[in-house]
Amino acid sequence: MSIAVNLLKYKKEAEEHSASLVAVSKFHSSSEIMEAYDAGQRIFGENIVQELTEKANTLPKDIQWHIIGHLQTNKVKYIAPFVSMIESVDSLKLLIEINKQALKNKRIIPCLLQVYIADEDTKFGLGFDEVIELLRSEEYASLKNIIIVGLMGMATNTTVKKQIKDEYNELKVLFHGIKHSFFNNNSEFAEISMGMSSDYEIALEAGSTMVRIGSLIFGNRSIKTN
Ligand SMILES: *Cc1c(COP(=O)(O)O)cnc(C)c1O
């Protein structure tokens, strides 16, 4: 199936659950991104800073770029002028740097805290207690050029649906607890970014507001097409 057909299918499915779709375009070419763009997609996710800046330079300016992968502090300056959301904030140090670079660019950058929910050693993210510690810190309270708009999580890479469902439910419970305790039920704290190609249906059932889908839209990333 074509990229446009795939895109419309997953976009519709997300919208039926009141969620938005992040089309994960990492390792895919600008012309493939344009196929999705021409089909109406505006939110794209990338995880490598250099790849993202090259694409952002040439592609339409109304694309909303999300960083979804681990971000090194020294790379923040390259994306701060234009990135529309950083979904993978996994330390206070990174958040402080994002704030600094956002200030330089006279921007307020929306961020998600990436929470560690998987039963694996390989995934980045903050533990539940670390999320709370960060939000309680004086450093965080002083940051005026970032806004935390929700949480992001990746489930364990497993075929056991029950485990994925339990992990996503935990993230949702944490989200509501944090919204209540730290954001005074503020409507800006609204996003639970969870679900990718292999598990987006479970995530939508569990209350995801943002699914990040790559291979189901663009095909396999191991085949380089540009
Ligand atoms: C690559 C990636 C995705 C998309 O993965 P697919 O399996 O291709 O849908 C989603 N989230 C993150 C954080 C990723 O790095």
Side-chain angles (χ1 to χ4, degrees), residues 24 26 47 68-69 152 154 196-198 212-216 221:
V24 176
K26 61 189 186 197
N47 65 350
I68 60 169
M152 186 270 250
M154 291 175 83
M196 41 204 280
S197 291
S198 55
R212 309 176 309 272
I213 298 182
S215 32
L216 283 180
R221 279 186 295 273

